[in-house]
Amino acid sequence: QAMPTIPAETIEALRADGACVIRGVFKDWVETLRSGIARNMAEPSADVKTYRGQNGAGRFVGDYCNWDRIPEYRDFIFNSDAAAIGKSLMGSNTVRLFHEHVLVKEPGADVPTPWHQDQPYYCVDGTDTVSLWIPLDSVPRERTLEFVAGSHRWGRYFRPERFNKQPLNENDGLEPVPDITGNRDQYRILGWALEPGDAVAFNYMTLHGAPANTSKVDQRRAFSLRLIGDNVRFARREGVVTSPPFRGVRLAHGAVMDAPEFPLLTA
């Protein structure tokens, strides 16, 4: 089976806007990933985060770094076209796994994903980064992941917060995320209605967020694959919590990400 060709305009959209959509590239993997998420939800890791909607309504569950114990995730990461697609999008010679992140919003999970960048949470520095956010349910435009076009090129690091709006690190010296929701007309906001097996690709520095799942019947399962390329290096952020914590990684600050936790997917 031939590797899907990523159109030049899609790659250019990612470079210019910090986010782009790729239609249907993972439709053959939807059932595999759904099975993996079912296993993950039944056997969550110690790092699982669960937020409840108002009045105990549906859950918003996030879990990560489970690929080494969930065979469906491993199958997708090592045997799908994801690494090759990441390579094209980043223009990188190498692609490593950073981690996978699963996000499940049950019906009535009226907990929005607040606007944030991913990179300030992470133990990485560098610009060769891409997340592939793959919905496993239909996502209408009004409930989709949204992006502030061009925000990955602002050169600004915003304060990481937990999804309940508590800061990840008190007094970290970083500036708060601007009030995008209250000033939507001041930004070019991108978002797409999505079908299972589509992918939204975005840079780790791109501001993004998602509304609550107000549907009483539809869940929203998403598998997000975080990939890193040539110029990414390990970042030790002294005195602060990173998410994921990667407690066992012994790399020095500025080191190439050559560790078992970050397997090389293409060379």
Side-chain angles (χ1 to χ4, degrees), residues 32-228:
T32 300
L33 290 173
R34 284 175 175 167
S35 297
I37 287 181
R39 188 191 299 265
N40 195 161
M41 295 285 279
E43 305 167 13
S45 79
D47 289 315
V48 68
K49 300 280 187 299
T50 302
Y51 304 102
R52 280 210 169 269
Q54 292 177 2
N55 307 317
R59 298 177 303 165
F60 175 19
V61 181
D63 204 358
Y64 48 42
C65 301
N66 293 298
W67 62 269
D68 57 345
R69 69 183 186 90
I70 295 186
E72 294 89 349
Y73 293 176
R74 210 160 47 243
D75 188 15
F76 175 76
I77 290 165
F78 289 96
N79 297 318
S80 77
D81 290 324
I85 289 169
K87 183 172 182 167
S88 293
L89 290 170
M90 292 188 288
S92 180
N93 293 310
T94 61
V95 178
R96 285 185 186 276
L97 173 66
F98 183 40
H99 67 99
E100 98 293 328
H101 194 174
V102 165
L103 301 142
V104 177
K105 288 188 177 180
E106 294 180 340
D110 51 2
V111 183
T113 305
W115 289 99
H116 66 287
Q117 299 161 304
D118 286 343
Q119 195 145 337
Y121 291 77
Y122 290 167
C123 56
V124 297
D125 290 327
T127 56
D128 292 337
T129 64
V130 70
S131 285
L132 299 174
W133 192 92
I134 303 160
L136 305 176
D137 300 286
S138 295
V139 183
R141 174 64 185 85
E142 64 270 15
R143 294 204 301 271
T144 200
L145 196 59
E146 295 187 309
F147 304 88
V148 178
S151 55
H152 65 307
R153 296 185 297 162
W154 290 354
R156 294 162 72 185
Y157 253 61
F158 296 108
R159 176 179 304 133
E161 294 180 332
R162 301 185 192 279
F163 283 5
N164 60 6
K165 302 295 283 179
Q166 296 302 309
L168 188 63
N169 297 288
E170 295 283 355
N171 306 314
D172 60 10
L174 298 178
E175 62 177 309
V177 175
D179 179 12
I180 293 159
T181 301
N183 299 281
R184 286 180 67 96
D185 58 340
Q186 295 179 23
Y187 302 95
R188 188 160 68 91
I189 293 177
L190 306 175
W192 300 273
L194 301 167
E195 291 302 322
D198 289 346
V200 178
F202 59 99
N203 185 278
Y204 292 0
M205 288 294 287
T206 308
L207 273 168
H208 60 286
N213 183 11
T214 53
S215 171
K216 298 293 183 269
V217 292
D218 296 325
Q219 63 178 331
R220 195 214 70 189
R221 294 166 290 181
F223 182 90
S224 198
L225 189 64
R226 324 287 193 191
L227 302 174
I228 51 178

